[in-house]
Amino acid sequence: MAMRELVTGGATCAVPGSSSSSSNPLGALANALIGSSSKTQERLKEIPVATPTGPENQFFQDGVPLRTLPGSEQDGAFLPPNAQGSEFLRTFHSAYQNDLADAWDDVQHGPLPHVVSDMRAGTVLRPPPTLDGPPQRMLSGLLHSFVDSSRGGIPFRPAQLPLLGLSERDKQCIRDRSTIMGRHFFADKSEDFINSQVNALLHSLDIDSDVRAKGPLPGRYRELEEYWNESQGMMRPVPHVADGWANEFNQLGVNPGNPESWARSFEQQHGSNGWASEFEQSQLMAADRMRGANLPNMAAMEQSRMLAHTLAQNNDPKFQNSKFLQFVSKMSRGELIIDDNQVKPAPGDWASEFQQQYNSGPSWTDEYLRNRGPDQWADEFTAKREQVQSADDQWANEFSKLHMNDWADEFGQQVAEGVFGEGTANDWANAYDEFMNEQIAMKQQSDSSRGVYVFSDMNPYVGHPNPLKEGQELFRKGLLSEAILALEAEVMKNPNNSEGWRLLGITHAENDDDQQAIAAMMKAEEADPSNLEVLLALGVSHTNELEQAAALRYLYGWLHHHPKYKTLTTPEMPLSFYHADVAGLFNEAAQMSPEDADVHIVLGVLYNLSREYDRAIASFQTALNLKPNDYSLWNKLGATQANSVQSADAISAYQRALDLKPNYVRAWANMGIGYANQGMYEESIPYYVRALTMNPKADNAWQYLRISLRYETSTKGSEKHSFYSMTCTTTLITIPLANFVAPPPGMTCWKLAILGIWMLSKRSSLCNRQAPPVTRVPPPPHSLGQWWRFVVHR
Amino acid sequence: MPAFKIPFNGYSVKFSPFYENRLAVATAQNFGILGNGRVHVLSLPPSPGAPIVETAAYDTSDAVYDIAWSESHDSILVAAIADGSVKVYDTNLPPASNPLRSLQEHTREVHAVDYNPSRRDSFLTASWDDSIKLWTVDRPISVRTFKEHAYCVYAAAWNPRHADVFASASGDCTVRVWDVREPGSTMIIPAHDFEVLYTDWNKYDDCILATASVDKSIRVWDIRSFRVPITVLNGHNYAIRKVKFSPHRGSLMVSCSYDMTVCLWDYMVEDALVGRYDHHTEFTVGVDMSVLVEGLLASTGWDELVYVWQHGTDPRAP
């Protein structure tokens, strides 16, 4: 008899009736000492294989679901791990997954190894679970028939499958992926159809169809979801608040009572000095904003505003009628305020209240001004905006734009590094940016009304005896903005004067304002539909605006009305045009009379349209041989070269144009673009400024100037004397001055300010027109994130 | 040359930028809905009649949705895996040493990967977790995460001329243009009314990009005036899975669709549809054009076949 049997009371030593060795103290001792009786061995066997895939793996071996095997119920009876086993698993898991992962993270976040082989993943690839057993073949067949059903668009009626023993993760994969893919296959079916197909698949696999699938369709509700998630996210830092809020929301859902009860219970939970005071604070934000205060408090209101806005666009009556959402909407507009533990209607419109706040006599603005004199600019800005603003929540809309624009932030940061304290710098940045956004918004609005000519107010030439002659004279002298006024007076007097409109259009084009140019040219075309110059100019302007169809129509029209080339075209105008056809016709025309510069010019424009720049350059060069003194042709050549990445060549072409016509605003602006495209932002600035002093309404040039200013600063890195800080400094000096001088029409104060600064700082460089030496190696473009904004105009 | 039979459903195919006879294929079992995946490296035969041979294959525990060749090392491959990981393979190493690396950051399926052609140490991954991640080969963690899309991001594509600019296509029906030096996206193009599944830049004009959508159309955009597309190409009968610009001709594009066809387009001409191949018998979801051999095309689909053919010839020709 072995020692073991002696001490443990084995077969021969067993006490009758006692089934366990535990009754034998010696046995227990032996177990502890020797470690493994047959019983403990058996128990160890019960511990499931420690694979790191989670508890459901207890039912699996190699992915084959034991549950479906005969007799598996019996297996199941002992499979649930005993306490020891699960404890073991748990510790194993935590050791493996957390500690190791942390350690790994530490290594990763430490000094980064740069040799590929050092980081050879360190992972032993888990042998992929094979999916070849019979149930998997069934699954595969099912998925096949699901995919097949997408082709006929027939409803998918799968056979009920036996339980496949899919893990939760597998189920989720099937659910998510089949949903996402289903939306691709069944794109032209209704949402209901897609859902029913996917649900049929999921149902046959015994998968719950609504458990956290990947989002709803990203259609109409996606913004709502986004805002919703964001607003939820805002609550997250204080978890119990979020929970409480959710509870409250549920209660509201059960009892769609008045919003006041909601607010009251919210108050009860969180105390009166919680959200309510925060909300009140947010009302004061309007004022705080100008003092450069931080914005986060505003975010809550902004959040509900955006939510409400999205809902307003949603036509679903369920949403429109939701009491809760109406409440949110009112809240966001300030129609309800929380006061003394009660939700009350606000005493007045929030926006008007805001206006009162700074209109009424000894308000903070005045006080503020007295304290910080130079900040008058900010006041100027608000006053300016006030004119634009109707007294509604438009302010909030504009504010939201500010909120999203990271340019403002970056700009603010840069300025903050400058000479000023954070407050003023941010003010300036925010205000400037807001203004820019407003400008852009206005421009977009004006796009809808495009083609409508906008006359200047206060035209001194109205009543002039012969404004057309005066206009021609001014145009010849190169005083384009003045010429525009004179010509406007002419066309107001004689609206059917095609020549007046045409000259007005050309002047606008040279003044770098294609919108107005197009509008004027369209009037000219109305008055005389067969004026060749008008048609050509319209073609060019539409090419600048990248509107191919319109450009082709006018260029074809040019050919159509030309006495010499009429024969090439069909008697009636086709309904649609293809670039290759039109280009082919012009090539024929060029063969007919190779000495006609106009044909080559049109060809050059056409090739610009199709972005065949080499051909376009060749055409323009041919035309220039015939017409070497056409300044607009030199500009067209330069623009084409710039667009085809030959900016250095372009600059010399612009130079020729400017030699021929020094007041050619468009060429000045293009010159700036030419430098900016080579990364020479600093060099580009004087050209933009020069163009803008001649025509402050050249919106494109303002945009380019802004980009150049920004990149000039960023290329200079940490230099304290960045242009922005300088701009800020000088703005504060210039603006009060500017208030004494009536700004030219179209020139808003901030624009004037920038200009003023430039005048002051770079006085010398502006006065002479010497181009900076081009031989300098251009710095590598620091950031061309917005390079596409540099559309060069022909 | 004869089609190559793969055991799983094809998902993506890419020609090597270094060897004209090499390509990689990403595949998935059960259409990528559930099961394993495999990356194949294939070698084209020297003579057209001979079969395509497999030179390497790597198994994964979940579907492989996309693959990209490194632009700096001829043997490195990056695979987008449905389990959210991004795996890097080196075909010069024995199978036991692969994957070289497994980058686990995306929380959901990684749907696309694009290697930067100009800054050749970095690549992008687009995922169903609504984000795009930027990676460099020498770092074990991503450099940046771009998270602005409101739904799955199906593709990301580097601009061929601006090494820091890329575009992303998402199920939120928008295409965004990003500059990695900027804090957020620089442009949002509401490109289609339905999910946008792919986007690619023109290789000759850095302002032109094409988008492919569930609405069965391809749209070509000039990002300088993105309010209206330059052109809309109709011709596919189902959602379009991919559209790629030719590396050789500025206006030529190839697309593949759930209508099981591969189409060639020239967006500059009147009849833009210049070729249609219907050799696949299941959804065609992967297509590529060789950079090194003009007119050489490859496609793969859920019929478990990879075709390589010269444009103008029959893909099924033996």
Side-chain angles (χ1 to χ4, degrees), chain A residues 91-411:
Chain A
T91 47
F92 178 81
H93 268 272
S94 63
Y96 186 78
Q97 289 186 336
N98 300 337
D99 300 356
L100 220 105
D102 289 349
W104 182 238
D105 280 351
D106 286 347
V107 173
Q108 285 183 325
H109 288 100
L112 295 171
H114 283 266
V115 190
V116 169
S117 58
D118 280 352
M119 307 178 352
R120 191 151 292 170
T123 54
V124 182
L125 186 65
R126 193 155 31 103
T130 50
L131 280 169
D132 287 330
Q136 279 67 35
R137 221 169 289 142
M138 264 187 255
L139 171 68
S140 179
L142 182 76
L143 295 176
H144 262 278
S145 56
F146 170 68
V147 169
D148 285 346
S149 77
S150 66
R151 284 197 284 279
I154 35 166
F156 172 56
R157 289 207 187 77
Q160 192 64 38
L161 291 182
L163 290 175
L164 292 175
L166 296 164
S167 71
E168 274 307 311
R169 190 183 165 277
D170 289 346
K171 287 180 177 181
Q172 185 152 356
C173 274
I174 295 177
R175 183 169 52 230
D176 293 356
R177 293 179 190 172
S178 58
T179 309
I180 287 176
M181 289 176 189
R183 283 181 191 141
H184 299 172
F185 319 142
F186 305 117
D188 46 359
K189 303 290 189 305
S190 70
E191 177 77 355
D192 289 344
F193 181 84
I194 298 171
N195 285 339
S196 70
Q197 295 285 98
V198 174
N199 285 342
L201 171 76
L202 299 181
H203 183 72
S204 70
L205 289 170
D206 197 24
I207 299 174
D208 215 352
S209 58
D210 57 4
V211 186
R212 285 195 303 277
K214 168 75 188 176
L217 189 74
R220 289 171 295 169
Y221 305 124
R222 65 176 195 275
E223 285 162 292
L224 169 64
E225 192 192 29
E226 199 182 329
Y227 295 145
W228 187 253
N229 290 340
E230 273 174 29
S231 60
Q232 297 281 64
M234 272 175 35
M235 303 278 195
R236 215 166 280 141
V238 193
H240 79 273
V241 173
D243 290 345
W245 188 83
N247 288 339
E248 287 304 322
F249 178 68
N250 285 341
Q251 281 172 19
L252 189 77
V254 173
N255 171 27
N258 56 341
E260 289 172 32
S261 68
W262 180 81
R264 206 176 300 125
S265 52
F266 185 89
E267 287 293 316
Q268 279 164 10
Q269 273 200 337
H270 305 289
S272 56
N273 54 354
W275 193 70
S277 62
E278 200 176 309
F279 180 73
E280 279 177 333
Q281 263 185 343
S282 76
Q283 279 207 301
L284 297 172
M285 278 308 297
D288 287 344
R289 190 179 61 88
M290 285 299 170
R291 297 193 192 108
N294 285 329
L295 302 180
N297 288 348
M298 197 66 188
M301 184 158 159
E302 180 56 21
Q303 216 38 265
S304 58
R305 196 199 62 77
M306 289 205 291
L307 180 62
H309 177 72
T310 311
L311 290 162
Q313 293 178 326
N314 189 325
N315 293 324
D316 189 338
K318 262 198 300 199
F319 281 83
Q320 295 288 344
N321 294 332
S322 156
K323 289 232 163 59
F324 167 69
L325 295 166
Q326 284 169 6
F327 174 64
V328 171
S329 166
K330 280 190 172 174
M331 197 72 121
S332 72
R333 289 195 302 256
E335 287 172 30
L336 293 173
I337 56 166
I338 297 176
D339 186 19
D340 194 23
N341 286 357
Q342 298 271 318
V343 178
K344 290 178 175 171
D349 189 326
W350 179 80
S352 63
E353 197 186 348
F354 163 61
Q355 292 213 324
Q356 279 167 11
Q357 228 174 352
Y358 70 87
N359 284 346
S360 58
S363 70
W364 64 270
T365 31
D366 290 41
E367 200 181 332
Y368 181 56
L369 269 184
R370 248 178 274 127
N371 294 341
R372 308 200 190 182
D375 281 3
Q376 203 175 349
W377 189 82
D379 181 40
E380 171 70 26
F381 165 70
T382 50
K384 197 87 194 163
R385 229 244 331 274
E386 202 182 340
Q387 295 166 6
V388 183
Q389 177 186 46
S390 51
D392 58 13
D393 53 356
Q394 197 182 342
W395 183 85
N397 284 331
E398 279 171 20
F399 182 76
S400 73
K401 276 184 229 138
L402 173 73
H403 190 60
M404 291 185 233
N405 198 313
D406 34 51
W407 187 79
D409 299 343
E410 200 182 327
F411 180 55

Side-chain angles (χ1 to χ4, degrees), chain A residues 386-685:
Chain A
E386 202 182 340
Q387 295 166 6
V388 183
Q389 177 186 46
S390 51
D392 58 13
D393 53 356
Q394 197 182 342
W395 183 85
N397 284 331
E398 279 171 20
F399 182 76
S400 73
K401 276 184 229 138
L402 173 73
H403 190 60
M404 291 185 233
N405 198 313
D406 34 51
W407 187 79
D409 299 343
E410 200 182 327
F411 180 55
Q413 275 171 15
Q414 283 170 355
V415 172
E417 289 166 11
V419 285
F420 280 89
E422 210 164 325
T424 35
N426 278 339
D427 276 350
W428 199 86
N430 290 345
Y432 174 86
D433 192 70
E434 200 169 333
F435 207 97
M436 280 315 293
N437 283 327
E438 191 185 288
Q439 296 266 313
I440 290 163
M442 275 163 63
K443 192 167 155 58
Q444 274 161 359
Q445 276 172 10
S446 75
D447 278 355
S448 58
S449 63
R450 105 187 281 177
V452 178
Y453 190 86
V454 184
F455 286 97
S456 325
D457 330 324
M458 314 271 287
N459 189 337
Y461 292 91
V462 173
H464 192 282
N466 191 352
L468 179 63
K469 190 156 180 299
E470 184 70 28
Q472 284 165 332
E473 185 63 18
L474 287 165
F475 177 77
R476 202 182 52 74
K477 284 188 198 152
L479 301 168
L480 298 179
S481 295
E482 282 294 296
I484 286 169
L485 290 174
L487 291 167
E488 281 183 358
E490 165 65 24
V491 296
M492 278 195 264
K493 207 163 91 180
N494 304 314
N496 290 324
N497 184 348
S498 169
E499 177 59 16
W501 280 112
R502 184 190 74 83
L503 198 56
L504 183 56
I506 293 208
T507 318
H508 274 300
E510 293 196 1
N511 223 2
D512 209 20
D513 188 345
D514 272 302
Q515 296 290 327
Q516 286 281 76
I518 289 175
M521 284 296 182
M522 281 167 73
K523 287 281 191 187
E525 197 213 1
E526 234 169 69
D528 178 7
S530 61
N531 187 323
L532 294 179
E533 287 178 74
V534 170
L535 292 168
L536 179 56
L538 274 169
V540 172
S541 285
H542 281 290
T543 305
N544 283 340
E545 299 291 303
L546 299 165
E547 293 164 346
Q548 172 153 350
L552 284 176
R553 192 167 75 241
Y554 290 114
L555 294 175
Y556 184 88
W558 184 89
L559 207 62
H560 190 72
H561 290 107
H562 199 287
K564 219 191 301 181
Y565 311 118
K566 217 184 276 187
T567 50
L568 293 170
T569 62
T570 50
E572 67 270 6
M573 292 279 277
L575 288 172
S576 61
F577 299 92
Y578 287 97
H579 183 271
D581 299 350
V582 181
L585 289 175
F586 274 96
N587 272 317
E588 281 178 46
Q591 278 165 9
M592 271 170 69
S593 52
E595 297 304 307
D596 187 345
D598 286 348
V599 176
H600 293 287
I601 296 174
V602 179
L603 263 175
V605 174
L606 272 172
Y607 288 129
N608 262 294
L609 208 53
S610 59
R611 301 181 176 79
E612 296 165 84
Y613 296 120
D614 293 345
R615 286 182 175 188
I617 291 169
S619 296
F620 285 138
Q621 277 165 346
T622 314
L624 276 168
N625 288 335
L626 301 164
K627 254 179 150 179
N629 290 327
D630 185 335
Y631 55 86
S632 79
L633 198 45
W634 280 110
N635 179 59
K636 287 187 178 74
L637 175 66
T640 312
Q641 286 168 329
N643 279 337
S644 73
V645 218
Q646 305 173 17
S647 290
D649 295 345
I651 282 170
S652 58
Y654 296 141
Q655 194 69 61
R656 290 290 297 270
L658 288 172
D659 289 341
L660 291 164
K661 179 154 185 158
N663 275 14
Y664 195 0
V665 176
R666 173 155 288 175
W668 281 105
N670 283 347
M671 191 81 129
I673 295 170
Y675 282 108
N677 271 347
Q678 299 176 68
M680 298 152 82
Y681 295 107
E682 194 180 355
E683 287 81 350
S684 70
I685 293 169

Side-chain angles (χ1 to χ4, degrees), chain A residues 151 177 183 447 611 782, chain B residues 151 181 205 222 227 260:
Chain A
R151 284 197 284 279
R177 293 179 190 172
R183 283 181 191 141
D447 278 355
R611 301 181 176 79
H782 184 74
Chain B
Y151 197 67
R181 295 159 298 192
D205 188 330
D222 186 321
R227 254 160 286 165
M260 301 181 215

